[in-house]
Amino acid sequence: MASDLIIRMRDLGKSYRIWSRPEDRLKQIVFPWRRYHQDFWALRDVNLEMRRGEAVGIVGRNGAGKSTLLQLAYGTLEPTSGAIERYGRISGMLELGAGFNPEFTGRENVVLSALAIGLSEKEIQDRFPAIEEFAAIGDFMDIAVKTYSSGMYARLAFAVAAHVDADVLIVDEILSVGDIAFAQKCTRFIRSFRTHGTLLFVSHSLDAVMTLCDRAVWLDRGELRADGPAREVCRDYVAALEGSKDNATTFKIGGRRHAGSERNTSEMPLASPATEIRVSPFDPEGPWHGRRGGSIVDVRVLDVAGNPVQFPAAGDEIILEILAEAHIELRGAIVGFDIRNRFGQAIFGENTYPVYRDSPVCLQPGQRFVARFRFQLPHLPDGEYAINPALAEGTQDEHVQHHWLDEGVVLRVRGSHIRFGVVGVPMLGIEIEKINEAEASAADAASGGT
């Protein structure tokens, strides 16, 4: 519907003047009828419409025009050609710390940024405690931002953008900065924001685009190359990066072994010796939700002998121990957990209900209890992963959540041999077998050419 339209771009273009020598700028002013520059078109003839409630991811190589598009949408740049229409309040993080004065404190920059977006002084005063809590930078709020780390810049910028009641939220690579707690906090806010607002999101992580966006736009050398469902556009973008689909080599894989063939085989280890997994201490102060009829008291990672382990290896058999306490009478307690990456994607999880479905665990107020999950630690790509424990009451389908704790324990993985996907499957062997032409023809004839 036309009333849902939030941003419209029509034949949008942005060019920059490229000067060969500094003095050419002056010559252009003195002799305006002459041309002392070249025009570089960062964007050309882009037509896009975004509607309320959409989440649109922008993908493309460096220099494709992604950041220029965001700045035009936000209004910090004016188009060279075409037109852009905006409806509603727009907030965003275009660059790390963009709009902040490095000499001012975090507090002063919050006020200035909020005023620039359109909040009144009363609104800023009312929302400042929430902004301060979201940023979670402590005493640094009253220190000049030139002393901030990149993570602190990102926290403050996102905290402001998250509390201005915007209709459009523009995010440029913010999730690549900071720790997993900050990344998951941003992801939770973005998912909540999507229920009523429009998200315009740029990231080099296609996993993040496919997780957070239902639509993607692919920019290539300043031109719009594709616009459609996020998974389809990201798939085509990856295919283009790896080469033309038409030139891709097609392999026929079979289980038949041929006599006299040349065979190269490599036995793969279950885990790379360089992989390092570090288990953080339990943090009981993380974000949580629930009725608090009980609480998670501790979470520990143990080896099979029951000893705490701080540096487990991928593929190791471990025990995840969750200690909880009932504050009220619980009839049918359920303890569970999941493990999520920095974008909030659930890698896997489990709970106690399937085992105790026919004999529910009932607990009295003040009673403590331990749930243990024994499993093989998966092979994970490099990054940080949050173990989120939870205590509920009821059944798998009908239950009351008493204490869901985010980022209770963090796993930090470094030096992993896993390169693709969100979780790895250990390879027990990899081989290439060369088949001569006569054997290949015979094999095709025997299989009917299929």
Side-chain angles (χ1 to χ4, degrees), residues 65-273:
K66 304 186 299 296
S67 294
T68 299
L69 181 70
L70 294 193
Q71 292 180 67
L72 288 167
Y74 192 64
T76 55
L77 284 181
E78 289 296 321
T80 305
S81 62
I84 180 168
E85 303 167 15
R86 309 176 193 87
Y87 304 93
R89 178 180 287 171
I90 299 178
S91 176
M93 291 70 63
L94 300 182
E95 299 176 17
L96 200 55
F100 286 171
N101 186 319
E103 301 298 331
F104 289 0
T105 66
R107 187 180 304 274
E108 291 167 337
N109 275 295
V110 167
V111 173
L112 289 176
S113 297
L115 285 171
I117 292 171
L119 265 63
S120 66
E121 292 186 11
K122 177 65 166 56
E123 288 175 321
I124 296 172
Q125 182 179 358
D126 291 342
R127 299 179 196 194
F128 193 88
I131 293 173
E132 191 170 23
E133 181 181 1
F134 193 101
I137 59 174
D139 294 338
F140 280 92
M141 185 65 77
D142 293 304
I143 296 176
V145 300
K146 66 181 179 182
T147 65
Y148 285 13
S149 66
S150 60
M152 292 167 63
Y153 260 112
R155 285 176 175 272
L156 191 62
F158 202 102
V160 175
H163 292 85
V164 296
D165 294 338
D167 300 293
V168 181
L169 179 64
I170 298 176
V171 180
D172 188 357
E173 286 289 356
I174 196 76
L175 298 184
S176 63
V177 180
D179 57 21
I180 188 172
F182 171 68
Q184 291 201 353
K185 179 187 287 189
C186 294
T187 301
R188 287 192 294 271
F189 172 79
I190 288 172
R191 287 194 170 123
S192 174
F193 178 83
R194 282 195 55 187
T195 61
H196 63 274
T198 300
L199 173 68
L200 190 54
F201 179 70
V202 163
S203 177
H204 285 290
S205 170
L206 299 186
D207 285 338
V209 172
M210 290 187 287
T211 299
L212 298 174
C213 303
D214 42 42
R215 175 184 166 198
V217 170
W218 172 13
L219 292 179
D220 185 18
R221 299 178 184 179
E223 298 183 355
L224 195 156
R225 184 160 172 179
D227 179 3
R231 288 192 175 276
E232 294 181 12
V233 172
C234 289
R235 178 196 62 203
D236 292 343
Y237 172 57
V238 170
L241 290 180
E242 295 179 351
S244 171
K245 294 180 182 179
D246 296 335
N247 295 329
T249 303
T250 302
F251 294 92
K252 183 177 290 186
I253 301 175
R256 190 181 298 105
R257 182 173 298 182
H258 302 277
S261 60
E262 183 179 344
R263 189 181 189 86
N264 296 326
T265 303
S266 172
E267 295 299 327
M268 297 291 292
L270 289 179
S272 167

Side-chain angles (χ1 to χ4, degrees), residues 250-322:
T250 302
F251 294 92
K252 183 177 290 186
I253 301 175
R256 190 181 298 105
R257 182 173 298 182
H258 302 277
S261 60
E262 183 179 344
R263 189 181 189 86
N264 296 326
T265 303
S266 172
E267 295 299 327
M268 297 291 292
L270 289 179
S272 167
T275 300
E276 174 188 312
I277 302 177
R278 180 187 294 267
V279 179
S280 77
F282 172 65
D283 180 10
E285 303 301 325
W288 66 275
H289 65 271
R291 297 188 181 181
R292 213 57 187 257
S295 60
I296 304 296
V297 177
D298 195 11
V299 178
R300 299 197 301 165
V301 176
L302 312 174
D303 61 21
V304 292
N307 303 309
V309 57
Q310 187 179 0
F311 300 98
D316 279 0
E317 191 172 310
I318 65 167
I319 297 171
L320 182 67
E321 182 180 86
I322 301 176

